[in-house]
């Protein structure tokens, strides 16, 4: 079964606050985009990669990741994934993996694909939540402490049968979601979990980039 990975890389990186889209920021000399794409190919379980980037970054992206197909993304992450799905051809299994997770280890990508091959229609890698989580009201007053035992933090790559992911996106044409499995859940589908990895951290803030720089330096 052909595995195609879609890499949303069309965000602006507003919270990181540098002068270019986040996927084109470098970590120890290599862009997050190159690292994410190379990691997918290096996993040995991905056949093709489709990258979605801002329109004005098309040719820059094609130079950085010549093995990937590069298409224009959209205004929201869901729009970018839609654009990637349209370019995914006749893939049977689809991964969606943020360019903003450049250090994702190969075995974790393997776990997601293995769960799909074992019959799951939707798979997310997860980590236990370390902090205590509280629900607060609009004024910041605590309403409740949420039981942490059954909470998980969700990472990417998330894996799907192409049929399940297409059906979820078709069922909610204008929907916004922070992850793709969320749309499968809304469409009534079952999502299973596999163990994630702290190295698959998402780079969102300047602090995250500093941490990732140290991790990338250690890997050299
Ligand atoms: N993404 C995308 N298209 C968008 C928005 C986001 O492809 N319209 C991608 C980002 O490039 C990133 C991933 O989705 O790889 C996760 O999004 P996020 O971490 O929120 O990145 P940005 O949207 O770039 O950052 P910010 O929200 O701080 O602007
Ligand atoms: Mg964003």
């Amino acid at each position: 079964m052909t595995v195609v990975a879609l890499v949303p890389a069309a965000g602006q990186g507003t919270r990181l606050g540098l002068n270019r889209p986040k996927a084109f920021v470098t970590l120890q000399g290599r862009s997050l985009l190159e690292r994410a794409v190379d990691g997918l190919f290096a996993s040995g379980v991905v056949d093709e990669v489709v990258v979605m980037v801002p329109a004005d970054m098309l040719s820059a992206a094609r130079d950085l990741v010549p093995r990937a197909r590069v298409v224009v993304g959209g205004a929201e992450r869901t729009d970018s994934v839609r654009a990637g799905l349209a370019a995914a051809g006749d893939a049977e299994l689809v991964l969606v993996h943020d360019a903003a997770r450049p250090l994702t280890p190969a075995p974790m990508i393997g776990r997601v694909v293995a769960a799909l091959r074992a019959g799951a229609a939707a798979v997310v890698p997860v980590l236990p939540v370390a902090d205590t989580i509280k629900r607060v009201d609009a004024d910041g007053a605590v309403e409740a402490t949420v039981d942490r035992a059954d909470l998980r933090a969700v990472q990417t790559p998330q894996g799907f049968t192409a049929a399940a992911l297409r059906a979820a996106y078709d069922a909610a044409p204008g929907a916004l979601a922070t992850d793709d499995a969320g749309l499968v859940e809304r469409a009534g589908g079952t999502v299973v979990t596999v163990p994630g990895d702290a190295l698959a951290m998402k780079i969102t803030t300047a602090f995250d980039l500093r941490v990732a720089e140290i991790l990338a330096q250690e890997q050299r």
Side-chain angles (χ1 to χ4, degrees):
M1 280 188 285
T2 312
V3 179
V4 175
L6 310 181
V7 178
Q12 289 304 319
T14 314
R15 288 169 289 178
L16 190 56
L18 297 180
N19 57 357
R20 59 182 124 164
K22 185 160 70 182
F24 299 84
V25 167
T26 59
L27 201 55
Q28 295 290 307
R30 284 171 69 224
S31 65
L32 305 192
L33 180 62
E34 287 168 273
R35 287 178 173 274
V37 170
D38 290 353
L40 286 162
F41 280 124
S43 74
V45 297
V46 170
D47 299 303
E48 287 172 43
V49 175
V50 178
V51 172
M52 298 80 81
V53 299
D56 59 347
M57 299 304 279
L58 259 187
S59 69
R62 286 183 174 138
D63 288 344
L64 288 174
V65 289
R67 291 177 72 190
R69 193 145 17 114
V70 184
V71 301
V72 178
E76 301 290 342
R77 187 181 180 282
T78 36
D79 302 320
S80 296
V81 174
R82 270 180 213 286
L85 263 180
D90 54 5
E92 288 151 300
L93 301 177
V94 177
L95 303 184
V96 185
H97 184 45
D98 294 328
R101 298 182 189 270
L103 301 176
T104 304
M108 181 179 141
I109 301 169
R111 286 196 287 277
V112 173
V113 172
L116 291 174
R117 294 199 181 282
V123 183
V124 294
V126 298
L127 289 176
V129 176
D131 291 320
T132 294
I133 306 285
K134 293 187 191 291
R135 183 173 295 115
V136 298
D137 67 16
D139 300 321
V142 171
E143 288 181 334
T145 300
V146 183
D147 184 5
R148 187 171 72 189
D150 56 3
L151 294 182
R152 300 291 182 274
V154 179
Q155 301 181 309
T156 78
Q158 301 188 351
F160 307 90
T161 63
L165 189 60
R166 287 188 197 280
Y169 269 80
D170 289 348
L176 299 180
T178 52
D179 80 327
D180 307 285
L183 292 180
V184 173
E185 292 155 38
R186 266 188 245 174
T190 300
V191 180
V192 304
T193 64
V194 296
D197 192 306
L199 281 171
M201 64 178 284
K202 182 161 78 77
I203 295 176
T204 305
T205 63
F207 177 82
D208 299 333
L209 189 61
R210 284 169 61 194
V211 172
E213 280 282 0
I214 294 165
L215 295 169
Q217 194 168 18
E218 278 178 4
Q219 286 179 2
R220 280 166 75 118

